[in-house]
Amino acid sequence: MASSAVAVRRAVQRYASVLLAVTVAAAVWASSTGDIGVRSPLPGVVAFVLAVASGWAAGMIRTRRWPLFLAAAVGWLVLAAAAAGVVASYQAGLRLRGRRLAGYLAGAAVVLAGGVLVGLEVGGTRRITTATSGNVLILAAGLVGLPLVFGLWVRARRDTLAALRDRAERLEREQEARADQARAEERTRIAREMHDVVAHRVSLMVVHAGALEVTAVDPATVEAAALIRTTGRQALTDLREVLGVLRQAGPAVLPERGLDALDELIGESRAAGLRVSRQDEGVPTVLPATLGRTAYRVVREALTNVRKHAADAETVVGLHYLPDGLEVLVRNGPSEGGTALPGAGQGLLGLRERVELLGGRLEARPADGGFLVRALIPLADAA
C-alpha cells in the first residue's frame, strides 16, 4: 500500500504540469460552452484557441508567469472563464512578493472592472453573472482572494519548513563539531597519560636492560638483557606511533602490518623464548590488505596469549589458503604451568569483533591439553 502511494505521488509530481494544462484547458472550454459558466456567443474556434492557450500558459508557469496572467485576463474578459484566473491568483500568492504582488492585485481589479463593463454591454446572463454588485464581490473573493490567500499560506509553510530544516542541519553540524572537539580533547588526554606513565616506565626498562647488558658477565644474561633492550626500544617506537595517531586532528589511521611481517613476528616470539614453528598449506595468493592485517592481528594476539599463559609450550602457526578465503591457526601444546602475566582479557573479544566485521568467524578453545585459536576469513567481504 505504501509503495503504491509513493508511486502515485511520484507520477503526479512528474506529470503535474501536463495535468494542470489539461485541466485548465478543459475548464475554459467547458465555461465557453455553458457547462460550468456563461455560454459564449463567440464562434467555437475562438473558444478553442483560448482554451488551448490557457492550458499552455498554465503548463509553462514554472518557467514563465506572464503568459498565464495574460491568458487569465483575456479568458475572463472574452469568455468569462475563471479557471486560468484561479490558477493565476494561486501562483501570484505563491511566487510574487512586495510590489509585484501589489501590481498583480491592481491588475486583477482592473480585469474585474473590465468584466463588469463587458457584462453590461453584452447583457443577459453575462450581465447577471459578472456585472451585478453581489456577484462581483463573490467573484473577486473566489477568483482572486481565496486562491491568493492559499498561495500565501503554502509559501509561508514552505519557508517555515525550509527554515526549520536549515536550523536542524546547523544544529547537527554544531553537535558534530562539539563531538569532534570532545573526542580530540579526550584523545590528547589519553596520549598525554600514556606518554607520562607507559613511555616513562618502558624507557626505564630499556635503560636498566642496557646497563645490565654492559655490566653482566654471564653470556646468557647479556643476551637476555640485549633482547629486553631491543624489545623495549621497539615498544617505544610503536608507542610513539600510537601517540602520534591519538594526537591527530583527523580520523585516526594507525599503520598496521600484514602477512608480509608474519615471519618477523614469529622471529620476535622465538627470540623471546617461545618455541614457534610455521606451517602453511595451499597456494599463496595476493590477499586484500584488510584481510592480511586481520590475519596478522589474530596471530599476534594468539602468540601474546601463549607468552602469557604457556610460554614453555610448543606452538604452531599455520595459514591455510582456501579458494574463497584464508584460515589462520595458532595452536599451542600442553604447558607445565608457571606464573601467568597479567592481561585485560579483552584481546580475543576484540579479535572476534574484527573478524566478524569481515564476515568471518573466530574460534578460541582448549584443544589436546593446550589451546587453539582459529579464524576463518572470507575473501568476498574483505575485498
Side-chain angles (χ1 to χ4, degrees):
M1 182 68 70
S3 60
S4 300
V6 171
V8 171
R9 188 182 302 110
R10 289 179 178 176
V12 171
Q13 292 176 352
R14 182 176 182 181
Y15 299 104
S17 298
V18 177
L19 293 175
L20 179 62
V22 172
T23 301
V24 171
V28 171
W29 174 257
S31 179
S32 66
T33 59
D35 293 335
I36 58 173
V38 180
R39 182 179 180 85
S40 176
L42 299 175
V45 65
V46 176
F48 178 78
V49 170
L50 287 177
V52 172
S54 298
W56 172 82
M60 295 290 294
I61 189 60
R62 292 185 178 180
T63 57
R64 298 178 181 178
R65 291 188 295 266
W66 68 266
L68 179 61
F69 296 160
L70 179 61
V74 175
W76 180 250
L77 293 175
V78 176
L79 300 177
V86 172
V87 177
S89 297
Y90 169 76
Q91 292 294 332
L94 185 65
R95 300 172 183 271
L96 300 183
R97 299 173 184 267
R99 294 182 178 180
R100 292 186 177 183
L101 182 59
Y104 174 82
L105 291 175
V110 171
V111 171
L112 288 175
V116 172
L117 297 178
V118 173
L120 293 175
E121 181 65 26
V122 174
T125 307
R126 176 72 181 268
R127 178 175 182 176
I128 297 174
T129 305
T130 63
T132 57
S133 58
N135 286 343
V136 170
L137 294 177
I138 294 174
L139 290 173
L143 270 66
V144 180
L146 293 180
L148 184 70
V149 171
F150 185 66
L152 292 172
W153 176 80
V154 171
R155 186 180 68 185
R157 183 173 179 272
R158 288 181 180 178
D159 293 343
T160 301
L161 291 177
L164 292 176
R165 190 180 300 110
D166 292 341
R167 181 182 179 184
E169 292 177 354
R170 185 175 63 256
L171 291 176
E172 184 177 357
R173 290 193 297 269
E174 293 176 355
Q175 183 177 3
E176 291 178 356
R178 288 194 296 269
D180 291 340
Q181 182 179 1
R183 284 193 292 267
E185 293 175 353
E186 181 65 16
R187 286 163 56 180
T188 303
R189 185 187 65 81
I190 294 173
R192 184 169 56 251
E193 292 183 359
M194 289 180 64
H195 180 271
D196 294 342
V197 178
V198 180
H200 175 68
R201 294 186 181 277
V202 175
S203 298
L204 288 177
M205 180 185 70
V206 172
V207 171
H208 286 296
L212 181 62
E213 183 182 2
V214 173
T215 59
V217 178
D218 183 23
T221 303
V222 173
E223 183 179 356
L227 177 61
I228 294 173
R229 180 176 57 81
T230 303
T231 304
R233 288 184 179 275
Q234 182 63 41
L236 285 175
T237 300
D238 295 340
L239 183 59
R240 279 195 296 269
E241 292 181 354
V242 173
L243 295 180
V245 170
L246 287 175
R247 291 191 177 101
Q248 288 177 5
V253 180
L254 181 64
E256 296 188 51
R257 298 180 177 181
L259 291 179
D260 55 345
L262 190 58
D263 288 334
E264 181 181 351
L265 176 64
I266 294 175
E268 293 175 355
S269 298
R270 288 172 181 165
L274 292 183
R275 293 177 292 170
V276 186
S277 61
R278 177 174 176 178
Q279 297 177 359
D280 293 356
E281 297 181 10
V283 179
T285 57
V286 179
L287 300 174
T290 304
L291 191 152
R293 289 193 296 267
T294 301
Y296 179 86
R297 286 175 64 93
V298 171
V299 176
R300 186 178 64 181
E301 180 63 27
L303 291 179
T304 300
N305 289 336
V306 172
R307 287 197 298 269
K308 289 180 179 179
H309 307 290
D312 59 336
E314 290 280 354
T315 306
V316 178
V317 176
L319 300 180
H320 185 194
Y321 293 91
L322 304 174
D324 57 349
L326 178 69
E327 184 182 30
V328 183
L329 295 172
V330 180
R331 182 196 302 268
N332 65 273
S335 172
E336 296 181 359
T339 303
L341 296 177
Q346 300 297 318
L348 290 177
L349 179 61
L351 277 185
R352 178 172 285 107
E353 294 175 351
R354 189 181 184 98
V355 171
E356 290 177 352
L357 283 175
L358 299 181
R361 62 179 185 273
L362 180 73
E363 177 185 3
R365 59 179 176 82
D368 300 330
F371 202 80
L372 170 68
V373 176
R374 175 177 177 268
L376 183 61
I377 311 173
L379 281 173
D381 293 327

